[in-house]
mmCIF file of all heavy atoms in Angstrom:
data_model
loop_
_atom_site.group_PDB
_atom_site.id
_atom_site.type_symbol
_atom_site.label_atom_id
_atom_site.label_comp_id
_atom_site.label_asym_id
_atom_site.label_seq_id
_atom_site.Cartn_x
_atom_site.Cartn_y
_atom_site.Cartn_z
ATOM 1 N N THR A 82 9.090 6.433 14.756
ATOM 2 C CA THR A 82 7.693 6.145 14.442
ATOM 3 C C THR A 82 7.548 4.685 14.080
ATOM 4 O O THR A 82 8.232 4.191 13.174
ATOM 5 C CB THR A 82 7.204 7.012 13.260
ATOM 6 O OG1 THR A 82 7.339 8.396 13.614
ATOM 7 C CG2 THR A 82 5.751 6.712 12.939
ATOM 8 N N ALA A 83 6.678 3.985 14.795
ATOM 9 C CA ALA A 83 6.396 2.578 14.518
ATOM 10 C C ALA A 83 5.060 2.463 13.806
ATOM 11 O O ALA A 83 4.191 3.331 13.942
ATOM 12 C CB ALA A 83 6.368 1.774 15.819
ATOM 13 N N ASP A 84 4.906 1.399 13.035
ATOM 14 C CA ASP A 84 3.681 1.195 12.248
ATOM 15 C C ASP A 84 3.385 2.419 11.384
ATOM 16 O O ASP A 84 2.237 2.888 11.298
ATOM 17 C CB ASP A 84 2.481 0.884 13.151
ATOM 18 C CG ASP A 84 2.669 -0.403 13.930
ATOM 19 O OD1 ASP A 84 3.302 -1.324 13.397
ATOM 20 O OD2 ASP A 84 2.189 -0.473 15.081
ATOM 21 N N ALA A 85 4.434 2.950 10.736
ATOM 22 C CA ALA A 85 4.290 4.176 9.951
ATOM 23 C C ALA A 85 3.283 3.987 8.825
ATOM 24 O O ALA A 85 3.254 2.956 8.145
ATOM 25 C CB ALA A 85 5.642 4.579 9.378
ATOM 26 N N LEU A 86 2.449 5.003 8.601
ATOM 27 C CA LEU A 86 1.426 4.964 7.555
ATOM 28 C C LEU A 86 2.020 5.469 6.246
ATOM 29 O O LEU A 86 2.354 6.645 6.112
ATOM 30 C CB LEU A 86 0.227 5.823 7.953
ATOM 31 C CG LEU A 86 -0.623 5.283 9.100
ATOM 32 C CD1 LEU A 86 -1.595 6.341 9.590
ATOM 33 C CD2 LEU A 86 -1.374 4.041 8.664
ATOM 34 N N LEU A 87 2.167 4.568 5.279
ATOM 35 C CA LEU A 87 2.725 4.909 3.980
ATOM 36 C C LEU A 87 1.868 4.313 2.879
ATOM 37 O O LEU A 87 1.282 3.232 3.056
ATOM 38 C CB LEU A 87 4.161 4.380 3.852
ATOM 39 C CG LEU A 87 5.174 4.923 4.856
ATOM 40 C CD1 LEU A 87 6.494 4.176 4.723
ATOM 41 C CD2 LEU A 87 5.383 6.409 4.666
ATOM 42 N N SER A 88 1.788 5.014 1.744
ATOM 43 C CA SER A 88 1.014 4.527 0.602
ATOM 44 C C SER A 88 1.877 3.551 -0.196
ATOM 45 O O SER A 88 2.825 3.960 -0.860
ATOM 46 C CB SER A 88 0.563 5.695 -0.281
ATOM 47 O OG SER A 88 -0.367 6.502 0.399
ATOM 48 N N VAL A 89 1.544 2.278 -0.133
ATOM 49 C CA VAL A 89 2.308 1.213 -0.779
ATOM 50 C C VAL A 89 1.611 0.819 -2.075
ATOM 51 O O VAL A 89 0.391 0.615 -2.102
ATOM 52 C CB VAL A 89 2.443 -0.010 0.149
ATOM 53 C CG1 VAL A 89 3.256 -1.105 -0.519
ATOM 54 C CG2 VAL A 89 3.078 0.398 1.472
ATOM 55 N N ASN A 90 2.379 0.721 -3.155
ATOM 56 C CA ASN A 90 1.797 0.302 -4.429
ATOM 57 C C ASN A 90 1.379 -1.165 -4.352
ATOM 58 O O ASN A 90 2.133 -2.014 -3.880
ATOM 59 C CB ASN A 90 2.817 0.480 -5.556
ATOM 60 C CG ASN A 90 3.158 1.929 -5.798
ATOM 61 O OD1 ASN A 90 2.338 2.809 -5.557
ATOM 62 N ND2 ASN A 90 4.368 2.186 -6.261
ATOM 63 N N THR A 91 0.191 -1.454 -4.826
ATOM 64 C CA THR A 91 -0.291 -2.830 -4.833
ATOM 65 C C THR A 91 0.168 -3.535 -6.106
ATOM 66 O O THR A 91 0.430 -2.905 -7.124
ATOM 67 C CB THR A 91 -1.823 -2.871 -4.747
ATOM 68 O OG1 THR A 91 -2.366 -2.096 -5.826
ATOM 69 C CG2 THR A 91 -2.313 -2.286 -3.432
ATOM 70 N N ALA A 92 0.269 -4.833 -6.047
ATOM 71 C CA ALA A 92 0.732 -5.617 -7.187
ATOM 72 C C ALA A 92 -0.345 -5.659 -8.269
ATOM 73 O O ALA A 92 -1.506 -5.962 -7.981
ATOM 74 C CB ALA A 92 1.074 -7.035 -6.744
ATOM 75 N N PRO A 93 -0.002 -5.337 -9.530
ATOM 76 C CA PRO A 93 -0.992 -5.404 -10.612
ATOM 77 C C PRO A 93 -1.604 -6.798 -10.748
ATOM 78 O O PRO A 93 -2.749 -6.927 -11.187
ATOM 79 C CB PRO A 93 -0.171 -5.027 -11.854
ATOM 80 C CG PRO A 93 0.967 -4.218 -11.330
ATOM 81 C CD PRO A 93 1.291 -4.817 -9.987
ATOM 82 N N SER A 94 -0.854 -7.828 -10.375
ATOM 83 C CA SER A 94 -1.378 -9.188 -10.479
ATOM 84 C C SER A 94 -2.560 -9.415 -9.558
ATOM 85 O O SER A 94 -3.345 -10.354 -9.755
ATOM 86 C CB SER A 94 -0.272 -10.206 -10.166
ATOM 87 O OG SER A 94 0.235 -9.990 -8.854
ATOM 88 N N ALA A 95 -2.720 -8.535 -8.558
ATOM 89 C CA ALA A 95 -3.869 -8.655 -7.652
ATOM 90 C C ALA A 95 -5.108 -7.992 -8.227
ATOM 91 O O ALA A 95 -6.176 -8.039 -7.605
ATOM 92 C CB ALA A 95 -3.528 -8.040 -6.298
ATOM 93 N N GLY A 96 -4.979 -7.374 -9.400
ATOM 94 C CA GLY A 96 -6.129 -6.735 -10.020
ATOM 95 C C GLY A 96 -6.298 -5.284 -9.639
ATOM 96 O O GLY A 96 -7.289 -4.658 -10.002
ATOM 97 N N ASP A 97 -5.334 -4.724 -8.892
ATOM 98 C CA ASP A 97 -5.402 -3.334 -8.459
ATOM 99 C C ASP A 97 -4.213 -2.568 -9.027
ATOM 100 O O ASP A 97 -3.126 -3.109 -9.170
ATOM 101 C CB ASP A 97 -5.385 -3.233 -6.927
ATOM 102 C CG ASP A 97 -6.555 -3.976 -6.291
ATOM 103 O OD1 ASP A 97 -7.661 -3.896 -6.844
ATOM 104 O OD2 ASP A 97 -6.345 -4.631 -5.255
ATOM 105 N N TRP A 98 -4.427 -1.287 -9.314
ATOM 106 C CA TRP A 98 -3.336 -0.439 -9.790
ATOM 107 C C TRP A 98 -3.133 0.767 -8.892
ATOM 108 O O TRP A 98 -2.287 1.596 -9.151
ATOM 109 C CB TRP A 98 -3.626 0.026 -11.219
ATOM 110 C CG TRP A 98 -3.492 -1.086 -12.211
ATOM 111 C CD1 TRP A 98 -2.363 -1.438 -12.898
ATOM 112 C CD2 TRP A 98 -4.490 -2.006 -12.608
ATOM 113 N NE1 TRP A 98 -2.613 -2.521 -13.698
ATOM 114 C CE2 TRP A 98 -3.917 -2.887 -13.549
ATOM 115 C CE3 TRP A 98 -5.833 -2.193 -12.266
ATOM 116 C CZ2 TRP A 98 -4.623 -3.929 -14.150
ATOM 117 C CZ3 TRP A 98 -6.533 -3.218 -12.852
ATOM 118 C CH2 TRP A 98 -5.937 -4.074 -13.784
ATOM 119 N N ALA A 99 -3.903 0.865 -7.837
ATOM 120 C CA ALA A 99 -3.801 2.016 -6.935
ATOM 121 C C ALA A 99 -2.859 1.693 -5.785
ATOM 122 O O ALA A 99 -2.475 0.550 -5.562
ATOM 123 C CB ALA A 99 -5.189 2.377 -6.399
ATOM 124 N N SER A 100 -2.453 2.723 -5.063
ATOM 125 C CA SER A 100 -1.666 2.524 -3.846
ATOM 126 C C SER A 100 -2.613 2.387 -2.667
ATOM 127 O O SER A 100 -3.751 2.857 -2.697
ATOM 128 C CB SER A 100 -0.700 3.688 -3.632
ATOM 129 O OG SER A 100 -1.416 4.912 -3.529
ATOM 130 N N GLN A 101 -2.124 1.745 -1.611
ATOM 131 C CA GLN A 101 -2.946 1.487 -0.435
ATOM 132 C C GLN A 101 -2.165 1.878 0.813
ATOM 133 O O GLN A 101 -1.003 1.510 0.981
ATOM 134 C CB GLN A 101 -3.335 0.014 -0.348
ATOM 135 C CG GLN A 101 -3.971 -0.401 0.976
ATOM 136 C CD GLN A 101 -5.259 0.346 1.259
ATOM 137 O OE1 GLN A 101 -6.147 0.388 0.420
ATOM 138 N NE2 GLN A 101 -5.361 0.946 2.434
ATOM 139 N N LEU A 102 -2.800 2.632 1.679
ATOM 140 C CA LEU A 102 -2.178 3.008 2.945
ATOM 141 C C LEU A 102 -1.988 1.763 3.805
ATOM 142 O O LEU A 102 -2.922 0.990 4.016
ATOM 143 C CB LEU A 102 -3.055 4.029 3.669
ATOM 144 C CG LEU A 102 -2.352 4.936 4.681
ATOM 145 C CD1 LEU A 102 -1.347 5.839 3.987
ATOM 146 C CD2 LEU A 102 -3.371 5.766 5.446
ATOM 147 N N GLN A 103 -0.749 1.578 4.287
ATOM 148 C CA GLN A 103 -0.424 0.427 5.125
ATOM 149 C C GLN A 103 0.462 0.866 6.286
ATOM 150 O O GLN A 103 1.169 1.870 6.207
ATOM 151 C CB GLN A 103 0.305 -0.651 4.319
ATOM 152 C CG GLN A 103 -0.495 -1.251 3.177
ATOM 153 C CD GLN A 103 0.251 -2.366 2.472
ATOM 154 O OE1 GLN A 103 1.166 -2.970 3.031
ATOM 155 N NE2 GLN A 103 -0.119 -2.633 1.226
ATOM 156 N N ASN A 104 0.397 0.080 7.364
ATOM 157 C CA ASN A 104 1.319 0.266 8.480
ATOM 158 C C ASN A 104 2.596 -0.507 8.157
ATOM 159 O O ASN A 104 2.621 -1.728 8.231
ATOM 160 C CB ASN A 104 0.714 -0.250 9.784
ATOM 161 C CG ASN A 104 -0.532 0.519 10.181
ATOM 162 O OD1 ASN A 104 -1.652 0.058 9.965
ATOM 163 N ND2 ASN A 104 -0.338 1.688 10.748
ATOM 164 N N VAL A 105 3.633 0.224 7.770
ATOM 165 C CA VAL A 105 4.842 -0.436 7.276
ATOM 166 C C VAL A 105 6.054 0.031 8.074
ATOM 167 O O VAL A 105 6.446 1.194 7.996
ATOM 168 C CB VAL A 105 5.077 -0.127 5.780
ATOM 169 C CG1 VAL A 105 6.322 -0.854 5.284
ATOM 170 C CG2 VAL A 105 3.883 -0.550 4.957
#
């Protein structure tokens, strides 16, 4: 599987604490 969809934790320094679906 290429460009797999996974929930990646965002950096708190960016002002977000949620995970974001990304092609990783």
